[in-house]
Each structure stands twice: as structure tokens, then as C-alpha cells.
Amino acid sequence: MAIAADRGAWGSRVGFILAAAGSAVGLGNIWGFPTQVGQGGGAAFVVVYLACISLICGPILIAELAIGRRSQRSPVAAFRVIRPGTPWWLAGALGVLAGVGILSFYSVIAGWTIGYIWFTVTGAVDGDPGAFFADFVSNAPLTVGLTALVMLITAGVILGGVRSGIERFTTTLMPLLIGLLLLLAIRSLTLPGASEGLAYYLRPDFSRMADLGVFNSALGQAFFSLSLGMGTMITYGSYLSRRTAIAGSALWVIALDTSIAFLAGLIIFPTGFSIPDFDPSTSGPGLIFTVLPRLFASMPGGALFGVAFFLLLSVAALTSAVSLLEVPVAHLIDVHGWPRTRAVIVVTAGTMLLAVPSALAGGAVDAFTRLPLLGTDFLTLMVTVWNNVALPLGGLLIALFVAYAWRVEEAVRELQVEGAWLPYPGLWGFLIRYVAPVGILVIIVVTIRALLG
Ligand code: TRP
């Protein structure tokens, strides 16, 4: 499902939707979303998140796909083909950097996930999952080793052309993942304390929005979850055939991605609130790893569900990691003419180097666990820089590019090619011209003002 070096095309509309969903569905949904909801104070965050998805990110997803299909190029080249001789290609360059930046922390969390397959098999997490997690993430050789393992598998997939294998993974394993999540949600909703968790998750307490940081983290999370703002979807769109209706496919991807994130919340919060003294706002990146083992422990044959869960999540994370690595690699090949192998080796090594401080930020090295001046850990800093700043900025540039450089009329023509379905073209034009850019700008301003206090 990643990208063929020769300019291939998706076999069918369903194939494309599954490939794009394979990139979108990953740690962002199951690890990122509940973590951000917890830090953002619950249901109020969920409301802002859904608004960001429908008003800002949905229109931008359609825009990225349209740019990709029109230009038939990876991001930097795509901007150059549509508007040669202008600095718009810098938006693509930002995406190339973001690919490396995001993958650097993504591989760390994916490494934790792989570790938890084993810890569930051996029963190591049984007992006190919180204490176990703290121990685990402060173990430097283990966390760095697992991160390296993720990077090697990801690089291997991109080099080895086992893409058809991955595509098969997505088609069979994604339904399995959804089925398992449904099952786990049912179990978590029947735990004692579930109603308290459900209220926290779904009954908005709008006074929480007084913390204006919520808007920025919801926006960043929405971009991250949909693989938007850095050109991944431009690249995917470049493999679309002219017979595939972009808008309809985009709606499917959004529906799949958002329902999987929503389900993850339905699992984490009811389970979390069944634990005495649970406080989602202080759990940080370890939230799902400390909460889920309790859920599995409450189920007959729980270890089996646990192993299946972490296995499926690892696969989902790997398919997303592949799509992240592909952007900088494709760039070096397309624009700088590097051989594929060299591009993969160099980008993988660079990303791994940047990943080390994140892997050591869970207690292994004090300076990375509590950064001087900032007070947060290095991994959280990476999430903030790339998800909350770089992706919305990339999204803003993409919206402005379509609206004012490429022009909405041209983009709409691309979207409606061969009579493709595009409900209310005027609505999409309005969202991409005004609502998305203004929404992102307002959130940037609000965030800066909140930071200045
Ligand atoms: N969306 C993926 C997830 O939720 C992560 C991801 C893959 C991504 N490719 C991306 C995020 C490109 C931003 C941009 O796990």
C-alpha cells in the first residue's frame, strides 16, 4: 500500500480507500486520540476535535488528493508542476521535514506497542501496570532497541517491495481490529465506574475550554490522525486514477478514521475510571499502556485479547510508519535523483538519530525526561512541534495554495473529472477558501496569546 517506485496506480476505488485508511489509521487513533482527550479535559476536546475534522481537515484532505492527482507527483514536485517558478514548493519541503520529525517519535510509540505484545504473552504487565510501564520506559536499551526494530521493519518494507503483502494486511486485519475494538468497548462499558468514564468522554464541560491550548491540540491531533498537512495524501492522490471520485473516497477515509478513534475513547475512559484514583490528565503518553492491561485482566482469556490487540495495533502502526517514511524517501528520489536504496538508508539513519532522545524521554535520561526551561519531556515536545505546529502550518499552506494559487475552479474541475460525485462544490470551495485558513489562523493566534499568558 505504500508507493511503487514506478508510477503505479491503485487497482480500484476500494483499494485506494483501504490504502489511505491504512495510512490514516494507526497510533494516532488508538494512542494519540485518548491521550489528547485526557490532557484536554474530556468531552470538550472531543467536540473541538470533531469541528476541526469536519470544517478544516476534511476539506484539506480533498485538496491534497486533488493536488496529487492533478500533478502526478510527490509533494515538492507537485507544487512545482502546478505553479512553476513560485515558492509554493516550500510547503512540500516542510512536509518532508515533518515526515522525519513525526516518524522519529512515532517509531518510539510503535516500539512500545511491539514490546507490549511480548509483555502480555509473558504476563509481565499483570500486577501493577502503572509501575510496570514506568519501569519499562526508563529502560534505555529496551526502548532504543524496540525503536530501532520499528525503523528497520519500516525501511525493509519500503525497500523490499512487500507492498502487496501490506495491502493484504490492511484488507484483512483492519476489519479484525475494528471487531476487536467493538468487543473491548462492550466489555469496558460493563465495568463498574463505566458511567463516570462515559460522562467524562461524552458530556462536555465547556468550562474546560477556558484552557485555550485545547483548540491547538485538537487541531494538531486531527491533522495527525488523518495523515494530513505534510503531503502524504498528495502522494496517495498521485496514484489515483481519473475514474475514482475523490470526494466520496475522502468521506470514507474520514468516517473510518474517526470511528476508530471514537471507539478507542469508548474503551479507554470507562476502563480508566474503573481504576481507583484514575486521573486521565496526568497519565501522558502512557495512558493506554497503563489502562488497557486492566481491561484484559478483567476478561476471561484476557491475555489472548491483549496479544491480539497489541499485534493488530503494531501492524496498523507499521502501515502508517511506512507512509511517513515514504514522503522524504520519494522526495529524494523524485527531486534529487537518489537511488532508492541510498534514500532509504540515509532517511532511516537520520530519523533513528532524532528518535533516540524521544526513546530516552521516559525516565532513562533525566535531561530528556524533563527538558531544561520547558519542563516537558522530549517526546511531548516532538508531538507539540510536529503535530500542533508543523502540520497545521502545512495544512494552511495547502488550503491557501488551492484557494489562491491553483484556484478553486481548477481544483473543482479536477474533483469533478469524468462526472465524479462532489456534493455542493460551492460548499467545498467556501470551506477551503475561508473556513479552513481562517480557522487555522485563529487557532494559531489564540494559542500564541495563551502561551504569552
Ligand atoms: N495518521 C497516522 C496515525 O494516525 C500517522 C501518520 C501516517 C501521519 N502518515 C502521516 C500523520 C502523515 C501525519 C502525516 O497513526
Side-chain angles (χ1 to χ4, degrees), residues 106-312:
Y106 204 86
S107 55
V108 173
I109 314 291
W112 295 356
T113 310
I114 291 181
Y116 267 69
I117 302 174
W118 178 245
F119 303 145
T120 312
V121 171
T122 59
V125 278
D126 302 350
D128 184 347
F132 178 82
F133 178 78
D135 248 16
F136 162 58
V137 288
S138 54
N139 183 330
L142 200 51
T143 51
V144 174
L146 285 167
T147 305
L149 179 67
V150 170
M151 286 305 307
L152 286 177
I153 299 175
T154 309
V157 168
I158 290 209
L159 270 182
V162 274
R163 298 197 180 87
S164 55
I166 290 204
E167 210 161 320
R168 225 170 305 130
F169 258 142
T170 321
T171 40
T172 52
L173 295 188
M174 180 121 49
L176 265 183
L177 177 66
I178 295 175
L180 181 59
L181 291 175
L182 280 169
L183 210 80
L184 295 178
I186 294 172
R187 176 62 191 130
S188 86
L189 288 169
T190 51
L191 288 172
S195 56
E196 200 191 332
L198 210 56
Y200 171 85
Y201 182 41
L202 298 179
R203 193 177 310 140
D205 168 1
F206 287 105
S207 66
R208 304 261 188 189
M209 287 188 194
D211 172 10
L212 295 173
V214 166
F215 289 89
N216 191 210
S217 31
L219 182 68
Q221 173 61 29
F223 271 101
F224 176 59
S225 190
L226 280 174
S227 301
L228 280 186
M230 54 158 275
T232 298
M233 290 299 171
I234 294 182
T235 314
Y236 275 49
S238 74
Y239 301 99
L240 266 177
S241 98
R242 297 179 69 75
R243 270 161 308 155
T244 305
I246 288 181
S249 312
L251 288 184
W252 269 104
V253 174
I254 293 171
L256 268 171
D257 189 70
T258 308
S259 10
I260 291 179
F262 182 76
L263 265 179
L266 273 187
I267 297 168
I268 295 296
F269 295 106
T271 306
F273 278 87
S274 72
I275 304 167
D277 299 325
F278 173 69
D279 181 356
S281 67
T282 56
S283 309
L287 177 69
I288 73 164
F289 297 96
T290 51
V291 165
L292 284 173
R294 313 252 187 182
L295 179 64
F296 302 134
S298 79
M299 303 168 77
L304 213 63
F305 290 106
V307 171
F309 174 85
F310 287 115
L311 201 68
L312 291 171

